[in-house]
């Protein structure tokens, strides 16, 4: 095994920690990106259907034709 200047033998656990931290950072970034795209898609769908407001419209709500009089 060849060591870079300043690198000591036995630093593999430190490298593994850095790799794990890097993987976690990438996973978090991907998750945030997926959530953002999903949220934007819901907003676009809401605008396309002519509604403004919460993309969760209809969950736990009554529409006009379902309201009791």
């Amino acid at each position: 095994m060849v060591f870079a200047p300043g690198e000591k033998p036995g630093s593999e656990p430190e490298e593994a920690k850095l790799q794990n931290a890097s993987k976690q950072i990438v996973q978090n970034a991907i998750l945030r990106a997926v959530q953002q795209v999903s949220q934007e898609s819901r907003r676009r769908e809401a605008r396309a259907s002519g509604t403004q407001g919460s993309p969760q419209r209809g969950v736990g709500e009554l529409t006009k034709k379902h309201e009791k009089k």
Side-chain angles (χ1 to χ4, degrees), residues 3-59:
F3 295 98
E7 190 176 0
K8 299 176 187 173
S11 66
E12 290 180 35
E14 190 66 29
E15 186 173 332
K17 287 180 189 178
L18 291 172
Q19 286 178 344
N20 287 336
S22 295
K23 286 178 185 178
Q24 189 65 45
I25 290 168
V26 171
Q27 287 175 344
N28 288 342
I30 291 170
L31 178 62
R32 276 190 233 116
V34 169
Q35 288 172 337
Q36 184 177 359
V37 169
S38 177
Q39 186 178 33
E40 289 171 1
S41 294
R42 281 184 263 137
R43 285 183 186 147
R44 264 188 251 117
E45 288 174 10
R47 276 187 290 226
S49 67
T51 61
Q52 295 292 331
S54 173
Q56 295 281 334
R57 182 175 172 256
V59 176

